[in-house]
Amino acid sequence: MKKTVKNLITWSPSHLITSPKSAFTLAEVLITLAIIGVVAAMTIPTLISDYKEKATITKVKTFYSLLSQTIALSEVDNGPTATWTFSDVNEFANYITPYLKIARDCGQDSGCISSDVYKRLNGEDHTSYDTSNRYYKILLTNGMSVWFRIKDDPTNNDGEDLVGTFWLDINGKSAPNQIGVDTFTFTALKDKGVVPDRGDSCYINDKGFGCAAYILKYKNMDYPTKEIEEEVEE
């Protein structure tokens, strides 16, 4: 008796060929790529900006901690800051530099910080620190530029409790060299440690001093706009 063999394979190799109706047309692919490009163009700048802001905040916090630790270590060896004696910025540097990791020590000479004129937060020219011998300048091993001075000008309104004023450029000589953007100021006070600059000018339309304090307090760089009262003619 002949056995009946059932054909269990009910499909042919032709079924492996994708139907033309299920494929993407060139126009559809181009439209999809265009949409991806538009979305990327809208989101990538924001992502980059957010990354830079977070990196800046981290560096400001790191330097604040580093400078506070430097003053504390120096006080262990040299006594309280109120007892430190120095007549110029070089003598003051002896209390500071041994406790920092320094890649280059320029002293009062040029070479460790940008030679550009530093900008205020509002974009106006401020000054060129590099050419002034009032400041002691160093480049740290982490790439940050630091310069500092003592109260050698009775008209600068630093306050009697000042030990020294410090400037930080988080990315060394690289741009933008702008106060409140990549450059920040701190002060060391007698028996009070390190504090951010106490100036009230951290506004996008102002000088930018005091932005380190803003960053440490609010953990962002969403600086406010200063309300300027218009003069009323009588």
Side-chain angles (χ1 to χ4, degrees):
M1 182 177 66
K2 294 182 179 179
K3 295 182 179 181
T4 302
V5 179
K6 295 182 178 181
N7 184 8
L8 299 179
I9 301 176
T10 59
W11 50 272
S12 66
S14 62
H15 286 81
L16 296 175
I17 301 175
T18 304
S19 172
K21 294 183 180 180
S22 64
F24 290 108
T25 66
L26 178 60
E28 290 173 329
V29 172
L30 292 177
I31 292 173
T32 302
L33 292 176
I35 294 173
I36 293 173
V38 171
V39 173
M42 294 174 61
T43 59
I44 289 178
T46 301
L47 293 174
I48 293 175
S49 178
D50 289 345
Y51 170 78
K52 288 182 177 179
E53 179 179 345
K54 290 179 180 179
T56 298
I57 292 171
T58 298
K59 290 179 180 179
V60 169
K61 293 170 64 176
T62 297
F63 180 76
Y64 179 53
S65 176
L66 175 63
L67 184 57
S68 298
Q69 184 180 32
T70 295
I71 298 296
L73 290 173
S74 186
E75 285 187 311
V76 171
D77 294 335
N78 302 297
T81 52
T83 66
W84 292 3
T85 57
F86 46 84
S87 59
D88 58 37
V89 72
N90 282 303
E91 291 181 359
F92 177 63
N94 293 330
Y95 290 96
I96 304 300
T97 55
Y99 308 94
L100 294 172
K101 294 181 179 180
I102 299 174
R104 184 178 180 186
D105 187 331
C106 294
Q108 293 174 283
D109 297 329
S110 301
C112 287
I113 66 177
S114 174
S115 60
D116 293 342
V117 173
Y118 275 75
K119 300 286 186 179
R120 296 173 179 172
L121 186 56
N122 60 12
E124 296 177 352
D125 287 349
H126 182 59
T127 190
S128 176
Y129 295 103
D130 188 49
T131 56
S132 175
N133 60 9
R134 291 181 62 202
Y135 303 94
Y136 195 101
K137 305 131 192 168
I138 56 178
L139 177 64
L140 302 182
T141 55
N142 60 9
M144 296 181 181
S145 289
V146 178
W147 56 103
F148 51 84
R149 65 165 173 81
I150 60 174
K151 182 175 181 178
D152 53 3
D153 181 356
T155 66
N156 62 25
N157 196 30
D158 284 323
E160 295 301 324
D161 58 347
L162 176 77
V163 177
T165 301
F166 295 79
W167 280 257
L168 162 71
D169 191 328
I170 62 172
N171 54 2
K173 297 182 181 181
S174 300
N177 303 318
Q178 186 173 10
I179 298 167
V181 178
D182 65 344
T183 304
F184 305 89
T185 55
F186 300 81
T187 54
L189 305 177
K190 294 179 181 179
D191 297 330
K192 296 179 182 178
V194 176
V195 297
D197 190 293
R198 295 172 289 181
D200 182 25
S201 63
C202 186
Y203 302 95
I204 58 175
N205 56 339
D206 207 342
K207 297 178 182 179
F209 291 105
C211 286
Y214 184 97
I215 286 175
L216 293 171
K217 181 178 181 179
Y218 297 106
K219 308 298 187 296
N220 64 61
M221 297 175 70
D222 300 329
Y223 304 142
T225 300
K226 185 175 184 178
E227 294 184 4
I228 302 176
E229 296 183 359
E230 295 183 0
E231 295 183 2
V232 179
E233 295 183 1
E234 296 182 359

